[in-house]
Amino acid sequence: MADGGRRTDTRRSGLKESADTAGPVRWTRWPGLVAGPALGAAALTAVVGLVVALAAFGNLTDFGTNQQFVRHVLAMDTTFRDPDLMWRAVTSARLQNAVYVGIIAWEVSAAAVLLRAVWLWCAALRGGSAGQARAASSVGLVMVLLLFGLGFLAIGGEWFAMWQSEQWNGLDAAARNTLLAAAALVLVHLPSAAGPDRPGTPDRPGIPEEPAAAGQPGSATG
């Protein structure tokens, strides 16, 4: 009976050890998922990249709609037409089109950088380094901030007095995109967004290799 009790305890101990180790093993393929900020940084980078990519796609496939928007904003023809401000207006069609094409090219570039960053985040979440993902996200998000913050809010909104126009006013959309990119940039640079810095093994990246357990003594026989 004593020998049977020891065998039962050994089996129960083995089951308990298997249950305790089942959780971490389940995450070995995606060790970075344990760190919430890393997953959040990847997701928010993907959202911003998708928004910019769709904006660029819309401008390319429906070129004329936002072309009119850019022309009216630069011409300042729907503002209060204050003589003290109208000298800022750009009425040359060539310059207006050049600005619009430049905006589209900037959007395409920013979207490409951000989508590349998403791919790098996916690699980082599987146990790789988050340094390249963070750098790519930073470049792409800063490009978005410059486009919507500097380009639309500062230059379009203030210099060309877009805030005075009821018909051609893109300040709300620009503010949303600016805040979204800024939030993503903050999350990307949180210290824990890089994921856990843990040594890994070739078959289980990100999970430290445990030392070999000491040999179990054999059970006594009656």
Side-chain angles (χ1 to χ4, degrees):
M1 292 295 293
D3 179 61
R6 284 195 296 270
R7 291 177 180 176
T8 303
D9 292 341
T10 302
R11 287 196 296 269
R12 288 177 179 174
S13 176
L15 290 174
K16 183 178 179 181
E17 290 177 0
S18 299
D20 291 341
T21 57
V25 172
R26 192 179 304 143
W27 291 95
T28 51
R29 290 188 63 188
W30 299 90
L33 289 177
V34 179
L39 179 60
L44 204 49
T45 299
V47 170
V48 178
L50 182 60
V51 169
V52 179
L54 291 176
F57 180 76
N59 289 334
L60 289 171
T61 56
D62 185 18
F63 190 86
T65 298
N66 280 332
Q67 181 185 31
Q68 294 302 315
F69 172 83
V70 171
R71 283 182 174 180
H72 285 288
V73 170
L74 295 180
M76 301 175 63
D77 53 3
T78 58
T79 64
F80 299 160
R81 293 182 175 272
D82 189 333
D84 293 333
L85 297 178
M86 290 304 295
W87 62 270
R88 304 175 183 177
V90 176
T91 57
S92 170
R94 288 186 177 180
L95 288 178
Q96 292 170 349
N97 290 334
V99 170
Y100 184 47
V101 171
I103 291 174
I104 296 175
W106 191 271
E107 289 174 339
V108 171
S109 301
V113 173
L114 288 172
L115 294 179
R116 167 69 175 172
V118 172
W119 186 87
L120 292 172
W121 275 117
C122 290
L125 288 171
R126 298 194 64 173
S129 172
Q132 291 183 339
R134 178 177 288 178
S137 292
S138 299
V139 172
L141 292 170
V142 169
M143 291 178 70
V144 175
L145 288 174
L146 290 175
L147 175 63
F148 292 105
L150 177 63
F152 283 85
L153 294 181
I155 298 177
E158 296 300 326
W159 182 256
F160 291 105
M162 184 167 54
W163 65 270
Q164 297 180 2
S165 176
E166 295 183 359
Q167 183 178 0
W168 303 102
N169 191 325
L171 293 179
D172 288 343
R176 287 196 301 269
N177 290 327
T178 300
L179 291 175
L180 183 63
L185 192 60
V186 170
L187 184 57
V188 163
H189 283 274
L190 288 179
S192 54
D197 257 345
R198 298 178 299 178
T201 58
D203 57 332
R204 302 199 306 169
I207 302 299
E209 183 177 5
E210 298 179 357
Q216 297 290 339
S219 60
T221 58

